[in-house]
Amino acid sequence: MNRIDAKFKELKERNETAFIPFITAGDPNLSVTRSLILEFDKKGSDMIELGIPFSDPIADGPVIQSSYYRALSGGIKVSNILEIVKEIRRESEIPIVSMISYSILYKNGCENFIRNAVKAGFDGATIPDLPIEEAEDIIETAKKEDFKIICFVAPTTTNDRMELIVKRSQGFIYYISIVGITGARNDLSDDITKNIQNIKRKTNLPVALGFGISTPEQAGMAGKIADGVIVGSAIMREIEKFRNQDDNILVNRVGQFVGELVTSTKH
Amino acid sequence: MSTITTKEKQLKEESCEKSLPDKSGHFGKYGGRFVPETLIPALEQLEREYLKAKEDSKFNDELKYYLREYVGRPSPLYFAKRLTEKLNGAKIYLKREDLNHTGAHKINNTLGQILLAIRMGKERIIAETGAGQHGVATATAAAMFGMKCDVYMGEEDMRRQSLNVFRMKLLGANVIPVKTGSKTLKDATNEALRDWMASVKNTHYIIGSVVGPHPYPMMVRDFQTIIGREAKEQIQKAEGQLPDYIIACVGGGSNSIGIFYPFIEDTGVKLIGVEAGGLGFDAGQHAATLSKGESGILHGSLSYVLQDDDGQTSEVHSISAGLDYPGVGPEHSYLKDTKRAEYVSVTDDEAVDAFNLCAHLEGIIPALEAAHAIAYTVKFAPSVAKDKIIVVNLSGSGDKDSFEVAKKLEMKI
């Protein structure tokens, strides 16, 4: 069974919400990325969303964009990221989902990327700039490799589109909790509960909530209404804060923050 | 008899205009809609409203009114007698888009889109700009219709085009400097798309070229075809025939598609797009996307792109801020692959020489973008028989480039 499915099944039995931290691969470097993922696993995270840096992201806010920029300045390639995931797999079975721009996927060849990603130990991907209409082929290709293409539902998504998205999405549904780009916000919108209930009426897949969740309190609120909580920019901001310090201090401090997020998500 | 022919021709033209892109916004394999889910409903609404407006005579009459009374259309098709004599080859006509209000072809599109934005009930306009011509055209239309306007512009472009930055501010627009990436047009486009993701409910994003997700490449093209439709009529009046060649510069590709499109079915007319060869074809030294790029995704559509083997966008260079862009409109990619149009490039130096030549011989200072089209004409026309006709799209005025050219020529203003 795919690690994502297995994890959600296990969590469902325990009646627990998944906590899913996002980090950019290669910021500040890939060895720290590896240490962070292992640390997040130890702190009780259920899954990792690993961002593959892209020079021109449009779905990401300034925090993640500048982390991409820093990672690319270090000369990082997709092949290096696959290598580091392979290394992580020697020590951890935590499900890892890549977040990858379709620009990079297209250039690397969808089939080629999926095959290599599965071989390295990735379990699925989110492709933020690939709408459902263009995603059919890649979802079919991915199914053959038991690789999950996780699709997005936004607050602006119409009912008709939602039907199509939940039908095609694999692994889980990524619900975008705010209109806009990724980035830490101060409060969660009231419509979220209503929208998540609406999605759940249409599918048995788990629904994870992401975009704009920045504090343990918000993670706690999100954890009550969704099956999974994704935090990205807030974690990347912590990494940015400690990036000039010793790697161990960085991993330790960011791990501590993730630990708090895990606790309040699951409380 | 002749009325029937005209009507048939009109019908033929209309059916051609409807054939591409297909329903999902593809020109062959190019185009499409590669943007986050949040934006899809807005793009669907925009497409719906645009297709409705296109059939609405009230909308079309209003646009025509502003193009005539405010922009000053039709723009002349001017026989460049001295340039023709100097090059001693084909007859050269210049389509004077530089004479439009705001000094370039960009206003054709911004007026169309702002009327659409008003129809959709949007209150705020955003735009990206490279050379600043699109920013100025957007700020102008926004001022005229009393709408709030934010323009994203790369810091490097703000330096190169300080005059246009000042003009936008005079027109009441807020110019937002973009400090990310290469600090040029591509980064300004990223920022504008990001803004739109968060503001889509009350904001319309006026993309300035035939790039971006569907329906932009189609819609911007349609608004710009006024150039080609006029040119066709004008050349027939002046010469009693169609031109043999049409030459236009290609950055994103809106002025070129605007003049090419009404001639697409006239296969006797050769269409030549001129890209920015910059300092030469080493990586990072040029912006000749169609000549040197490969297919990839940038800013929401599949098209030729300059990128590395991992899909990261390459650095590009051109002396012309309007051509300094690593992507190109998807329809141009389609025209290249189907060989309906040919794409060439000229260097920064050749463009500056043409800039000077046009000023000296014709008393017209062209934009550096348009100077690329003239530069290729300078190379090409002498080899063409004297009874042949070349129409060059002079897409904008060079007033904005005075400082940049003075710097290049080491002259003080």
Side-chain angles (χ1 to χ4, degrees):
Chain A
M1 192 190 253
N2 180 291
R3 290 186 196 93
I4 298 169
D5 290 346
K7 176 58 80 175
F8 273 115
K9 189 165 169 267
E10 175 198 321
L11 289 171
K12 196 174 179 186
E13 280 159 12
R14 294 211 305 262
N15 199 18
E16 228 177 71
T17 304
F19 180 72
I20 310 170
F22 166 96
I23 52 167
T24 295
D27 178 36
N29 60 59
L30 280 172
S31 134
V32 171
T33 300
R34 177 183 158 277
S35 308
L36 281 170
I37 290 175
L38 295 174
E39 182 72 9
F40 293 173
D41 187 4
K42 262 185 235 156
K43 294 281 179 190
S45 302
D46 299 291
M47 206 175 290
I48 302 289
E49 191 185 11
L50 187 59
I52 297 186
F54 174 47
S55 56
D56 295 273
I58 49 178
D60 299 294
V63 176
I64 290 178
Q65 193 198 9
S66 45
S67 78
Y68 280 179
Y69 186 76
R70 288 192 298 266
L72 289 172
S73 309
I76 192 173
K77 293 281 201 182
V78 171
S79 53
N80 306 134
I81 298 169
L82 294 173
E83 282 305 314
I84 211 74
V85 170
K86 223 180 257 177
E87 275 184 37
I88 291 165
R89 277 288 166 252
R90 289 190 202 123
E91 297 174 60
S92 169
E93 282 298 307
I94 190 165
I96 304 177
V97 172
S98 59
M99 178 165 102
I100 182 166
S101 163
Y102 192 56
S103 301
I104 295 180
L105 203 52
Y106 182 88
K107 188 71 181 178
N108 279 270
C110 291
E111 260 193 88
N112 183 48
F113 174 79
I114 290 171
R115 243 194 336 264
N116 291 334
V118 169
K119 225 187 281 170
F122 272 112
D123 303 289
T126 62
I127 315 165
D129 49 358
L130 187 68
I132 199 70
E133 291 83 357
E134 304 270 4
E136 200 172 356
D137 288 352
I138 185 165
I139 289 172
E140 289 311 311
T141 307
K143 271 184 190 167
K144 284 179 214 149
E145 303 279 345
D146 198 20
F147 184 79
K148 306 291 179 187
I149 303 293
I150 295 130
C151 301
F152 294 87
V153 172
T156 51
T157 303
T158 56
N159 250 317
D160 289 356
R161 287 183 59 77
M162 200 191 281
E163 300 272 357
L164 188 65
I165 294 168
V166 302
K167 209 169 78 193
R168 288 199 185 153
S169 188
Q170 306 287 307
F172 61 96
I173 309 284
Y174 191 134
Y175 182 73
I176 300 168
S177 52
I178 48 155
V179 178
I181 49 186
T182 60
R185 306 289 156 123
N186 288 325
D187 47 46
L188 291 177
S189 134
D190 292 341
D191 294 336
I192 295 175
T193 316
K194 226 171 56 198
N195 285 329
I196 288 189
Q197 280 164 353
N198 191 16
I199 300 171
K200 286 192 137 317
R201 272 195 295 273
K202 297 179 200 298
T203 180
N204 291 324
L205 283 177
V207 181
L209 195 58
F211 281 47
I213 300 166
S214 55
T215 63
E217 293 72 39
Q218 289 175 338
M221 287 191 285
K224 286 204 188 88
I225 52 175
D227 305 303
V229 175
I230 303 165
V231 176
S233 294
I235 295 172
M236 290 314 298
R237 227 171 16 207
E238 288 296 302
I239 293 176
E240 201 176 338
K241 226 192 284 177
F242 297 108
R243 69 188 304 275
N244 291 325
Q245 303 209 18
D246 181 79
D247 287 355
N248 290 327
I249 296 175
L250 186 156
V251 172
N252 202 292
R253 298 297 290 271
V254 178
Q256 213 175 333
F257 179 58
V258 166
E260 286 166 31
L261 290 165
V262 170
T263 310
S264 53
T265 301
K266 295 179 182 277
H267 62 104
Chain B
M1 181 68 196
S2 73
T3 19
I4 294 168
T5 326
T6 323
K7 205 172 175 187
E8 272 176 356
K9 229 174 78 189
Q10 216 174 1
L11 277 172
K12 198 177 147 203
E13 268 177 22
E14 275 172 15
S15 76
C16 152
E17 291 195 10
K18 277 173 189 158
S19 63
L20 281 181
D22 65 16
K23 265 195 169 159
S24 56
H26 292 92
F27 304 87
K29 72 168 181 173
Y30 300 107
R33 195 176 264 169
F34 299 95
V35 292
E37 174 61 25
T38 312
L39 285 182
I40 299 286
L43 293 168
E44 285 179 341
Q45 183 206 15
L46 180 60
E47 183 186 1
R48 252 188 335 264
E49 288 298 323
Y50 170 63
L51 292 176
K52 253 192 271 172
K54 202 178 161 185
E55 302 301 323
D56 180 352
S57 58
K58 210 180 131 213
F59 176 84
N60 288 314
D61 289 347
E62 200 178 0
L63 180 57
K64 262 183 221 158
Y65 167 82
Y66 284 111
L67 288 174
R68 186 180 67 236
E69 302 295 330
Y70 188 70
V71 177
R73 302 204 72 92
S75 68
L77 182 72
Y78 171 73
F79 174 56
K81 186 163 171 282
R82 294 193 69 212
L83 189 61
T84 301
E85 281 168 8
K86 165 92 179 172
L87 299 176
N88 198 28
K91 280 175 125 172
I92 299 163
Y93 281 85
L94 302 175
K95 179 62 175 161
R96 298 289 307 276
E97 290 297 300
D98 59 314
L99 293 177
N100 292 337
H101 178 46
T102 70
H105 71 292
K106 294 291 187 188
I107 190 96
N108 303 330
N109 167 48
T110 51
L111 277 175
Q113 284 202 48
I114 209 155
L115 289 175
L116 205 57
I118 293 167
R119 257 176 93 102
M120 293 188 292
K122 308 275 176 168
E123 295 150 7
R124 173 177 172 254
I125 295 296
I126 55 170
E128 84 296 335
T129 196
Q133 291 303 92
H134 173 57
V136 167
T138 305
T140 299
M144 188 182 45
F145 287 103
M147 287 173 93
K148 189 175 175 337
C149 177
D150 291 317
V151 180
Y152 288 91
M153 188 170 189
E155 263 191 343
E156 168 63 12
D157 289 339
M158 287 179 75
R159 183 195 64 74
R160 287 193 282 191
Q161 303 288 346
S162 53
L163 182 63
N164 273 344
V165 175
F166 183 62
R167 288 168 78 196
M168 284 185 270
K169 287 180 181 164
L170 281 179
L171 291 160
N174 178 30
V175 182
I176 304 172
V178 176
K179 301 171 185 190
T180 52
S182 56
K183 304 180 178 67
T184 60
L185 179 56
K186 106 181 149 69
D187 310 285
T189 309
N190 292 339
E191 284 306 321
L193 277 165
R194 265 191 214 117
D195 178 311
W196 203 34
M197 295 252 302
S199 64
V200 64
K201 272 187 188 147
N202 72 342
T203 298
H204 175 63
Y205 175 21
I206 301 189
I207 293 186
S209 193
V210 286
V211 299
H214 179 62
Y216 283 103
M218 165 182 80
M219 181 173 71
V220 177
R221 172 197 73 194
D222 291 352
F223 288 136
Q224 292 295 359
T225 53
I226 183 84
I227 307 171
R229 281 185 274 131
E230 283 176 8
K232 201 168 188 177
E233 230 181 274
Q234 290 164 324
I235 197 72
Q236 268 164 332
K237 204 167 163 202
E239 294 282 346
Q241 65 173 91
L242 294 179
D244 299 284
Y245 302 93
I246 296 176
I247 299 178
C249 67
V250 183
S254 69
N255 88 80
S256 44
I257 211 81
I259 196 164
F260 287 175
Y261 200 70
F263 294 92
I264 290 271
E265 301 224 311
D266 304 304
T267 47
V269 182
K270 284 201 145 180
L271 310 173
I272 302 172
V274 187
E275 298 193 296
L279 302 167
F281 279 149
D282 290 338
Q285 303 288 296
H286 66 90
T289 308
L290 289 158
S291 310
K292 292 285 157 187
E294 285 175 16
S295 70
I297 314 275
L298 181 67
H299 295 147
S301 63
L302 175 62
S303 196
Y304 277 73
V305 188
L306 290 166
Q307 54 181 197
D308 72 9
D309 55 7
D310 230 14
Q312 310 291 354
T313 312
S314 304
E315 293 290 308
V316 290
H317 163 83
S318 170
I319 188 171
S320 140
L323 304 184
D324 198 356
Y325 182 63
V328 69
E331 194 162 12
H332 283 291
S333 297
Y334 176 75
L335 293 177
K336 176 186 162 82
D337 284 6
T338 57
K339 299 199 162 57
R340 178 62 193 94
E342 183 193 351
Y343 296 89
V344 298
S345 66
V346 299
T347 64
D348 283 355
D349 287 344
E350 288 169 328
V352 171
D353 288 347
F355 180 95
N356 279 319
L357 189 72
C358 187
H360 287 159
L361 290 178
E362 297 294 346
I364 298 169
I365 301 174
L368 276 175
E369 291 77 22
H372 282 70
I374 297 166
Y376 185 73
T377 307
V378 169
K379 291 207 277 190
F380 179 66
S383 66
V384 181
K386 285 187 177 170
D387 61 343
K388 301 285 186 192
I389 300 162
I390 298 175
V391 170
V392 182
N393 198 16
L394 211 154
S395 55
S397 154
D399 295 353
K400 67 177 176 62
D401 296 311
S402 310
F403 288 102
E404 194 65 16
V405 173
K407 198 179 126 201
K408 174 97 179 165
L409 300 175
E410 292 171 2
M411 287 160 73
K412 268 223 163 98
I413 293 184

